[in-house]
Amino acid sequence: MCEKIQLNSSTKYNNSDTGIVYVEKFDEYGVKICDGATSYVVIEFCPWCGKKLPNSKREKWFDEIEKLGIEPWNEDIPEKYLTDKWYRERASH
């Protein structure tokens, strides 16, 4: 992983020091859209070195939530699904 993208991204969308956001639960990077909300465009390659970034786990996340019978827009999400813990635990087994 490129050190520059790690140094120049933030998990906090409100961080105005960077235009790159990292969403831990989806393992994806994106360029912020300044629309007053928390929108971003997912990027697949590092803007500094051109290396491929990790594949987004967004679809897997929604699949996991659906298997649990949780409606992600209306119900509380278990804590481990709010971070990278859900896929790191799976990878270690």
Side-chain angles (χ1 to χ4, degrees):
M1 175 74 60
C2 176
E3 188 177 301
K4 286 188 178 183
I5 196 161
Q6 291 175 330
L7 293 173
N8 293 290
S9 62
S10 176
T11 56
K12 295 179 177 32
Y13 192 88
N14 300 2
N15 182 344
S16 60
D17 292 336
T18 179
I20 306 287
V21 65
Y22 175 69
V23 181
E24 188 177 41
K25 71 181 178 185
F26 298 144
D27 194 21
E28 68 185 16
Y29 289 88
V31 176
K32 295 179 195 176
I33 298 174
C34 299
D35 63 356
T38 56
S39 303
Y40 60 94
V41 176
V42 175
I43 56 175
E44 296 180 13
F45 297 90
C46 175
W48 287 272
C49 72
K51 286 184 182 176
K52 176 92 170 85
L53 295 172
N55 291 329
S56 172
K57 295 171 181 62
R58 178 184 294 266
E59 286 187 37
K60 290 179 184 177
W61 186 88
F62 278 99
D63 289 345
E64 290 285 320
I65 295 299
E66 186 177 301
K67 284 180 193 174
L68 295 172
I70 296 170
E71 175 59 46
W73 313 116
N74 300 325
E75 296 180 45
D76 289 336
I77 306 295
E79 189 171 329
K80 80 175 189 176
Y81 289 95
L82 300 177
T83 68
D84 62 352
K85 190 173 183 179
W86 71 273
Y87 63 83
R88 297 220 183 268
E89 282 180 353
R90 286 178 51 185
S92 66
H93 293 164

